[in-house]
Amino acid sequence: MRLNYPQLAPKAMEAMYGLERYISACGLEKSLIELVKIRASQLNGCAACLDMHTKDARAAGESEQRLYLLSAWREASFYTPRERAALELTEAVTRITDNHVPDELFERARRHFTDEELVNLTFAIATINSWNRIAITFGREAGTEQATAAVAP
C-alpha cells in the first residue's frame, strides 16, 4: 500500500464506515447491495474491492453463476427486473461523465424502487465509488480479504 490511509485519516475512515453502516441497515437487500458494489468495482477496475465484495456476496449466498456473468448482466436472464434497474443506475452513476443520469433511466429505476430506496441505492453506489477511488489511489492490495459480515471498505 502506498500510504496507510486508515491510520493517517482515522476520522475520514470513521465517516466512510458510518456510510457503510447506514447502507447495511437501510432496508435494501444485501444481495442487491453486493451486486452494485461488485459492478461499480468492475467498472472502476478496483481489484481489492472486487476481491472483498465477491467473497462477501458468496458468503451471503450469491451464486457463482450470477457473479461470473455480472459484467454481462444485460445478456443474462437470471437477474431480476429490480436488480437490472439497480445495475443500470450503478453504471450511469459510476460513469457519470459519459451521459449523466438520463431522465429515462432514472424513471426506469423509479419503477422498481420507492423514493427512499432510490436515494439509499444512490448513496450505496456513491459510497462504493469512493471506496474504489481510495483503494486504487493508495494501492490497496487484492487477495487478502476474508468474507466478513462486519462493516469494511
Side-chain angles (χ1 to χ4, degrees):
M1 190 163 38
R2 291 175 176 159
L3 293 173
N4 187 339
Y5 59 91
Q7 182 180 10
L8 293 166
K11 289 183 180 179
M13 291 298 293
E14 185 53 38
M16 291 295 291
Y17 288 138
L19 279 169
E20 285 295 333
R21 284 188 296 274
Y22 175 82
I23 291 162
S24 295
C26 76
L28 292 173
E29 307 92 300
K30 171 77 171 152
S31 60
L32 180 79
I33 292 170
E34 289 303 329
L35 290 176
V36 162
K37 288 178 177 183
I38 294 165
R39 186 64 189 128
S41 299
Q42 288 173 333
L43 295 170
N44 289 320
C46 185
C49 293
L50 282 166
D51 179 47
M52 177 184 297
H53 295 296
T54 54
K55 288 175 181 174
D56 285 348
R58 281 195 310 267
E62 188 59 71
S63 75
E64 298 290 320
Q65 184 182 37
R66 284 169 40 97
L67 292 176
Y68 295 152
L69 295 176
L70 186 56
S71 63
W73 64 268
R74 284 178 175 83
E75 288 78 37
S77 63
F78 39 76
Y79 299 99
T80 68
R82 182 174 164 92
E83 290 168 339
R84 290 174 175 284
L87 293 169
E88 186 177 22
L89 184 64
T90 298
E91 291 181 357
V93 172
T94 301
R95 296 175 170 155
I96 198 90
T97 59
D98 288 355
N99 194 25
H100 289 199
V101 177
D103 290 340
E104 315 80 61
L105 186 156
F106 187 82
E107 289 306 317
R108 279 194 301 278
R110 204 169 198 182
R111 286 184 228 138
H112 300 281
F113 295 92
T114 66
D115 289 353
E116 182 180 358
E117 287 175 329
L118 200 49
V119 170
N120 290 333
L121 177 59
T122 303
F123 270 99
I125 297 165
T127 302
I128 189 58
N129 273 281
S130 292
W131 282 124
N132 290 165
R133 282 150 178 78
I134 292 164
I136 291 167
T137 300
F138 296 115
R140 187 176 177 128
E141 186 177 345
T144 60
E145 301 297 336
Q146 299 297 317
T148 177
V151 172

